[in-house]
Amino acid sequence: MIALLSILFKLAGVVFLCIAALGVMRLPDPFQRMHAATKAGTLGAGLVIIGSVIAHGALDATIMGIFTVIFLLLTVPVAGHLLGRAAYVSGARLSLGGDDALEGVLERSSLPLDERMGWLPANVDGVKSPAPRAFAPERSKASLQRLESVRFAVIDGNVDLVAQRASSVAKQNEAKLSAHVLIDGHAIDTAEDPAQMRRLIRDRASKAVNTLKSFIGVDAVLNYSEGDPEQLLACDGSGEELLVLPCQGWFHHQVEGRRSLTTWEPDGLLRLPAVHRGPVLFTGKHLATGAAMIVVRDCGEDHLPALVEWALMAQLWPVESLVHVADRGADTRAIEEIARNFRCGYRLIEASAEGCAIPDELRDADAVILGATPKPLRTSWFGAHWRSRIAPDMSGDVLIMEAPAGRASA
């Protein structure tokens, strides 16, 4: 009789566990999957444990089983609540109809995590991802989408200017503003003491967040993640999102502790334009408050005129004149027409060097617009800052956008 009762409890538990597993696999959003995992899963596991206790019958097994069931009842609901809260804050889709009871109570990201990271497949939870927007085939007719979202990196020691710049651009364009506090998992994995490294980096990241909060008027959705920053900041936009970064620093927040003989270097800022796939603004040491001189370094990239037009429409700077630095024989008509349409001065200068370099006399420009990231992709190369590859002692902004996917530069 006892054996039969034990088998009945175990079978009932297995049935509920199978229901929980099916719910996790088939329910459409994380909130419903959370209910299946916590409620049916806890009941199923509890019944299996009770069946095992009945089968053993010993006092020690009974005590252990009771404590195990109590532990499940105390921890699983709390874990489910925290998972549900994290899913809501991160912008997870709500598939059920009705009002959002937490609207205005918790800050919520405007986009789900898979869309922010570019992981959205053809069909997720019944929602089809939008097809990539095609760029116009002719250089002079290319265009980017209107700016809708501004993202900026929160890196210890480089918060003030980046936050101020991102907030100003978002306000100017009535765009959504989000701050990204990231911790590079590679820095932890390659440390002599990973646990201590994680703790130190988190302390620095917290310090950066406190610095951010001291800015009155910077009202941004705060995103905190740990992992590969290149994946966490990846997107496939065509102008809707601007990524604002400092010109130096990385997401290990300048904490040193790398294991000896490790080749990995905490230096990836210049790799981010390739994964962001949209405009990336590296903030300079000063903000252009008056009439700004903007230099366009043209190496024949098809998408460069679209980027220049987009920057002027987004009013990233109060532009007075465009200085167009182009290689000999380049087609300059598109950018000249853009300058005329926006009623700003235009001056054409022939480039005297390869790569992204501009003439030394333009080093005081308020910003430089590039259609490709300066190579090599290191912020410091033989002791020289990466902007020195554009012009010596340059201190202005640098706006970069790599060629959109499927488009090759001329």
Side-chain angles (χ1 to χ4, degrees):
M1 182 65 182
I2 293 178
L4 179 61
L5 185 62
S6 172
I7 292 173
L8 289 176
F9 269 97
K10 290 179 180 179
L11 285 176
V14 169
V15 169
F16 278 105
L17 288 174
C18 290
I19 293 173
L22 185 63
V24 170
M25 291 188 295
R26 300 299 300 272
L27 290 174
D29 66 46
F31 306 100
Q32 297 180 60
R33 293 194 287 268
M34 175 194 67
H35 282 291
T38 54
K39 291 182 171 58
T42 303
L43 180 59
L47 290 174
V48 170
I49 292 170
I50 292 173
S52 299
V53 168
I54 293 174
H56 284 80
L59 179 61
D60 57 346
T62 302
I63 294 174
M64 182 66 69
I66 292 173
F67 276 112
T68 303
V69 172
I70 293 174
F71 179 80
L72 284 174
L73 294 176
L74 290 176
T75 58
V76 174
V78 176
H81 172 78
L82 293 176
L83 287 173
R85 179 188 176 93
Y88 179 86
V89 171
S90 70
R93 298 175 184 84
L94 298 168
S95 62
L96 296 177
D99 296 332
D100 182 357
L102 292 177
E103 185 175 0
V105 178
L106 290 178
E107 290 187 358
R108 175 171 165 81
S109 177
S110 59
L111 291 175
L113 183 63
D114 50 13
E115 290 188 21
R116 298 201 304 271
M117 298 178 62
W119 289 349
L120 188 63
N123 193 314
V124 175
D125 298 342
V127 180
K128 291 184 178 180
S129 61
R133 294 175 173 84
F135 280 66
E138 297 182 18
R139 188 174 192 241
S140 61
K141 295 183 180 179
S143 61
L144 296 176
Q145 303 300 313
R146 180 182 179 275
L147 178 61
E148 297 179 357
S149 174
V150 178
R151 304 190 295 171
F152 68 96
V154 180
I155 298 177
D156 185 44
N158 297 279
V159 177
D160 305 19
L161 193 58
V162 175
Q164 184 180 355
R165 194 79 177 87
S167 177
S168 174
V169 173
K171 184 177 181 180
Q172 185 75 30
N173 292 272
E174 298 181 352
K176 298 174 183 176
L177 182 63
S178 59
H180 292 260
V181 186
L182 308 183
I183 293 179
D184 189 351
H186 294 302
I188 297 171
D189 296 337
T190 58
E192 291 283 1
D193 186 344
Q196 182 183 17
M197 189 68 167
R198 177 180 279 108
R199 183 169 59 255
L200 292 174
I201 294 178
R202 286 180 175 176
D203 289 344
R204 290 278 186 91
S206 298
K207 177 184 173 185
V209 172
N210 290 333
T211 303
L212 175 66
K213 290 179 179 179
S214 68
F215 280 93
I216 300 174
V218 177
D219 184 15
V221 175
L222 193 63
N223 297 275
Y224 181 93
S225 302
E226 181 177 322
D228 185 350
E230 292 183 47
Q231 292 184 0
L232 296 171
L233 292 175
C235 75
D236 193 18
S238 55
E240 301 99 325
E241 281 195 330
L242 170 68
L243 178 61
V244 183
L245 300 170
C247 285
Q248 59 187 11
W250 185 240
F251 296 102
H252 66 317
H253 299 274
Q254 290 52 262
V255 177
E256 298 297 334
R258 187 161 53 97
R259 190 165 57 244
S260 59
L261 304 180
T262 302
T263 58
W264 178 80
E265 287 286 346
D267 184 2
L269 278 180
L270 294 186
R271 295 197 300 268
L272 294 179
V275 297
H276 176 69
R277 308 305 303 181
V280 177
L281 179 64
F282 291 90
T283 55
K285 295 181 180 178
H286 65 273
L287 294 176
T289 55
M293 180 182 70
I294 308 303
V295 176
V296 179
R297 178 59 175 101
D298 188 351
C299 294
E301 299 93 347
D302 287 347
H303 63 284
L304 184 62
L307 179 60
V308 174
E309 182 181 38
W310 178 92
L312 296 179
M313 290 185 64
Q315 303 178 63
L316 298 186
W317 314 277
V319 181
E320 180 184 49
S321 63
L322 281 180
V323 180
H324 188 184
V325 180
D327 297 329
R328 178 177 296 181
D331 185 357
T332 62
R333 292 173 296 175
I335 293 179
E336 184 177 0
E337 182 181 354
I338 291 171
R340 185 167 55 249
N341 290 340
F342 282 88
R343 298 179 181 178
C344 57
Y346 175 82
R347 182 160 57 107
L348 177 62
I349 297 178
E350 183 177 320
S352 58
E354 297 180 354
C356 299
I358 63 175
D360 291 352
E361 62 266 23
L362 299 177
R363 71 182 68 181
D364 294 328
D366 294 287
V368 175
I369 301 178
L370 304 175
T373 311
K375 304 297 188 298
L377 301 180
R378 300 294 297 273
T379 56
S380 179
W381 188 248
F382 292 102
H385 193 273
W386 67 273
R387 283 189 298 184
S388 65
R389 300 196 289 273
I390 302 173
D393 302 321
M394 180 191 164
S395 60
D397 292 346
V398 181
L399 179 68
I400 299 174
M401 180 175 171
E402 293 283 349
R407 294 281 294 166
S409 296

